[in-house]
Structures are given as structure tokens and as C-alpha cells.
């Protein structure tokens, strides 16, 4: 009898102990909040450029290079890094008076996996080529994030409704790459090159770029926002990772309401403009929509080209877009390099009579949507660039003053018909790839760039130009 009583006491003690531990976890979870953005209560003062950053020539009237990096996990990060590396090795002119093409890059727009090399280069410049491979590309980030997820240390935070998996990922990215850096550390006007990381607002389905003009729309200070959290938002793949939350301060007492971009006043009647205007209007009052939840930018535009395509009604044309975002005049040559690391799978379901399962249907539909979207965005960009060139000519300027543009496509699918195409088509979309695969992707980025007819046309025109 005494033994049974002692056993019962022991069991009850274990239950009470477990219940107490669970109660503590719940109480701890209720106290955890991911860090939110700050209100714009005074004009943000940008810090000087990060030590080690190269000095940029702000009078690049002759040549402007812009880069657009797609999503695709580590595959996209490695391919984009390969393009940056090839541009750093491309010298124009004499060794004394020449320059690298990389030095003419004025803006990098990226989504998802492409956000990592974009942000690292804009923050640290040529340091990218010294340690980015070891710090990120050849690190098993996928495995590290799973270990973080399974660690009991993170359970109280992950139980909180105000802290998600992407918040945990942002902390990890900060630890291995960005070390507390904020947008203010990029320098004045977003630094050189200007960094544009693109997420998607779940509420309106529109792209949300991390730029000061867009943070003005929600009355928030971008300068104090951590770059690691912007990268986490741009790469928050739905279902696998949680959204990143921002707070809307627009219209709140004591919050500055600076002059918003002209796009809010544009009266373009197109359906596309109406969608964008409705998205902007949704931010006007913090009481109606106090929070934004952001997911992977690739869910709306996997190539990060939306701003260029919408330039006509958002900014009044490509020329005004360049002036307002890059603070420079119309270039003589405008180079757009689009790096697309998407891998479109073959529809194996077509080889069987069996009815495709739910997962097969979802992946197939998503793959089709992305492939069609990528093609359409590139076609729309070509139309926008042609319209820009014609508009300049129609304004009475001489033919010699009309801008020349070069649309360079670095697309991994271009390797499909080659001997190694099947290898690249089988690379999964995750953040942990073998070292040898990373090396091949880096090399592919450089070779695809150099094989581009428009890139070769650019090099020929530059060598022929005095």
C-alpha cells in the first residue's frame, strides 16, 4: 500500500511538473514578439558607407547597369553570384583609365534566393568575392534552419503568435551574414548600387519593395530596419516559412507624412494602375490596416521587374524612374541583366493515364504560372523599353541622343538542350546544395552572361566607343 501511494505521488508530481513546464512555455510565448519596423518621426540620417566599400562614380551618364536576380533558393544565389563575379572580371578600356562593368551597376533588384548575394554585395561590395561562398553558398543553411526549428531553445518563441519561422530565419541570416546591419549602413539614398529587395503583401497581392519610397507609404523609417529581416521577407516561401510582419504608421499622431511619389496622383485609367492605386490606398490609414504580412516576392514577380514595367504610370516613364530612383540623368546606354534561376519541370503526369494527385496538380499549376509569368514579364519589359526609346525620339531630341538599351537574359533554362542541361534541371530549390553543384552554378552564371548576344553587342559598342 505504501509503495502504491509513493508511486501515485511520484506520477502526480511528474504530471504537475510537466504541466508547470507547459504553463511556463505558454507564458513565455505570450511575451515573445518579433522586432517590428519603426515609425518615421524624423528625417532619417544615413550612416557613411560601410568600411571597405568602394567609391562610386555618381556621374554615370554614359552607362548604367541594372541587375535583376530571381528566386530559386541556393540555386538562384549561386547563379547570381556567378554573374556578379563575371562582371567584376570584365574590364573595359585601358588598365589605367578603364573600369570594371561591375563598377557601373547602379541598382540590384532581387527576390527570394537572389536577395542574399544582392544584399551582401550592396552592403560589403568586393568582400563578396572573398567570403560569400564560405559564409553562405557552401554552408548547409537548409540543415541549420531545421536544427534551429527543432532546438528547444526556440520553442517558446515559435509558440508565440507574434513570432514565426521567418523571424527565426532572419536571426540566423543576421548571425552568419549581416551582423546587425540596417539600411542606414548602405549609405545615403540606399547606397551604390541601390538595393531593392522585393516581398509580396499578402493582403493586396502587390509587390512590396524595401525602398524608402515604399516605407514612406506606411509612415515608417527604412534606415533603422535590419537588412536580414528584409531578406527573410523577400524569401519567405509560403507554407514552408511564415510571413514577416510590418506595422503601418501612416496617419498616426506624430508620424511624418512626407511627399509621396507622383504615382499616387497619376490618373492612368489602366486596370493595372487601378490595382496598384488600390494597394497604395490601403496603407493610407493605420487604423484600418495596422499591419502588413509579407511573403516571398516571387509569388507576384519572380524576376523583380515590376518597377521597370510599371514605370509609365507610376513615374511618368522610364526616364523619370531613372531620375527619381537613381538620382541621375538619362543614360546613353542602359543595360538590364535579368538572372533567372527557375527550373521548369517536365509534366510527367502526361505519360500516365492515372489521375494526378493533389500535390502533383499544385506543383504543376505553380510551375506553369511561374513559367508563363516570367515570359510575359520579359515581353512587357521589351515593350516598355521600346516605348521609352520612341518617347525620347518624339520629344525632338536627335537620333544620336536616343538611349540604347541592352536586355541581357541569363536564364538557367537555356542550358536545357545542352549536354549538362539535365543536371541543372534536377537541382532542387532549397538552401543546402553540394559544393560541386555550387561551383557549376557559379560557372554557369558567367558563361550564360558571356554567351548572351546582347551582352556581346554591349562589349562591342563599348570597345568601339571613345
Amino acid at each position: 500500500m505504501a509503495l502504491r501511494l509513493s508511486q501515485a505521488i511520484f506520477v502526480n508530481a511528474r504530471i504537475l511538473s510537466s504541466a508547470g513546464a507547459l504553463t511556463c512555455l505558454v507564458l513565455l510565448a505570450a511575451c515573445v514578439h518579433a522586432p517590428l519596423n519603426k515609425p518615421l518621426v524624423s528625417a532619417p540620417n544615413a550612416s557613411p558607407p560601410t568600411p571597405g566599400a568602394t567609391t562610386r562614380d555618381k556621374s554615370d551618364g554614359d552607362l548604367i547597369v541594372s541587375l535583376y536576380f530571381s528566386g530559386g533558393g541556393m540555386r538562384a544565389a549561386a547563379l547570381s553570384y556567378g554573374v556578379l563575379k563575371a562582371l567584376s572580371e570584365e574590364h573595359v578600356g585601358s588598365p589605367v583609365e578603364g573600369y570594371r562593368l561591375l563598377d557601373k551597376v547602379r541598382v540590384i533588384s532581387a527576390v527570394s534566393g537572389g536577395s542574399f548575394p544582392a544584399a551582401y554585395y550592396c552592403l560589403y561590395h568586393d568582400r563578396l568575392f572573398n567570403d560569400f561562398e564560405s559564409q553562405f553558398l557552401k554552408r548547409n543553411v537548409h540543415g541549420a534552419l531545421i536544427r534551429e526549428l527543432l532546438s528547444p531553445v526556440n520553442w517558446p518563441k515559435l509558440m508565440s503568435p507574434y513570432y514565426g519561422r521567418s523571424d527565426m530565419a532572419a536571426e540566423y541570416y543576421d548571425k552568419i551574414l549581416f551582423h546587425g546591419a540596417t539600411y542606414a549602413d548602405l549609405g545615403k539614398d540606399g547606397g551604390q548600387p541601390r538595393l531593392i529587395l522585393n516581398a509580396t503583401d499578402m493582403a493586396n497581392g502587390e509587390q512590396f519593395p524595401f525602398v524608402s519610397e515604399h516605407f514612406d507609404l506606411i509612415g515608417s523609417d527604412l534606415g533603422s530596419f535590419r537588412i536580414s529581416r528584409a531578406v527573410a521577407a523577400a524569401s519567405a516561401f509560403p507554407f514552408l516559412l511564415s510571413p514577416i510582419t510590418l506595422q503601418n504608421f501612416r496617419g498616426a499622431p506624430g508620424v511624418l507624412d512626407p511627399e509621396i511619389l507622383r504615382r499616387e496622383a497619376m490618373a492612368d485609367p489602366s486596370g493595372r494602375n487601378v490595382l496598384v492605386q488600390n494597394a497604395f490606398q490601403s496603407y493610407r490609414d493605420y487604423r484600418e490596416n495596422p499591419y502588413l504580412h509579407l511573403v516571398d516576392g516571387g509569388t507576384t514577380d519572380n524576376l523583380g521587374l515590376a518597377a521597370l514595367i510599371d514605370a509609365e504610370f507610376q513615374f511618368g516613364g522610364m526616364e523619370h524612374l531613372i531620375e527619381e530612383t537613381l538620382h541621375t540623368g538619362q543614360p546613353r546606354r542602359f543595360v538590364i541583366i535579368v538572372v533567372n534561376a527557375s527550373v521548369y519541370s517536365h509534366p510527367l503526369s502526361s505519360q500516365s493515364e492515372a489521375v494526378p494527385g493533389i500535390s502533383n496538380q499544385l506543383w504543376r499549376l505553380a510551375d506553369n504560372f511561374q513559367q508563363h509569368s516570367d515570359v510575359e514579364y520579359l515581353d512587357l519589359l521589351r515593350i516598355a523599353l521600346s516605348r521609352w526609346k520612341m518617347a525620347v525620339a518624339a520629344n525632338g531630341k536627335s537620333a544620336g541622343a536616343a538611349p540604347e538599351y541592352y536586355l541581357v537574359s541569363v536564364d538557367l533554362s537555356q542550358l536545357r538542350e545542352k549536354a549538362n542541361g539535365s543536371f541543372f534541371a534536377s537541382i532542387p530549390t532549397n538552401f543546402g546544395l553540394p559544393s560541386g553543384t555550387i561551383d557549376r552554378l557559379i560557372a554557369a552564371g558567367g558563361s550564360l552572361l558571356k554567351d548572351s548576344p546582347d551582352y556581346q553587342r554591349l562589349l562591342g559598342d563599348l570597345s568601339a566607343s571613345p
Side-chain angles (χ1 to χ4, degrees), residues 58 98 173 229 329:
K58 294 191 176 183
Y173 303 152
R229 289 189 62 76

Side-chain angles (χ1 to χ4, degrees), residues 60 62 81 90 168 183 187 194 201 213 228 246 270 298 339:
D60 294 333
D62 182 64
Y81 172 79
E90 193 71 69
M168 181 195 70
Y183 270 81
R194 192 179 196 202
D201 186 340
E213 294 89 347
S228 57
L246 298 183
S270 68
V339 183

Side-chain angles (χ1 to χ4, degrees), residues 41 111 173 447:
V41 294
V111 302
Y173 303 152
S447 63

Side-chain angles (χ1 to χ4, degrees), residues 4 23 26 65 86 119 125 153 158 259 305 326 345 351 371 388 452:
R4 289 180 180 176
T23 302
V26 171
V65 179
H125 296 89
V153 175
L158 291 169
E259 181 182 353
L305 295 172
L326 301 183
S345 60
Q351 301 174 10
Q371 184 174 10
W388 171 44
S452 166

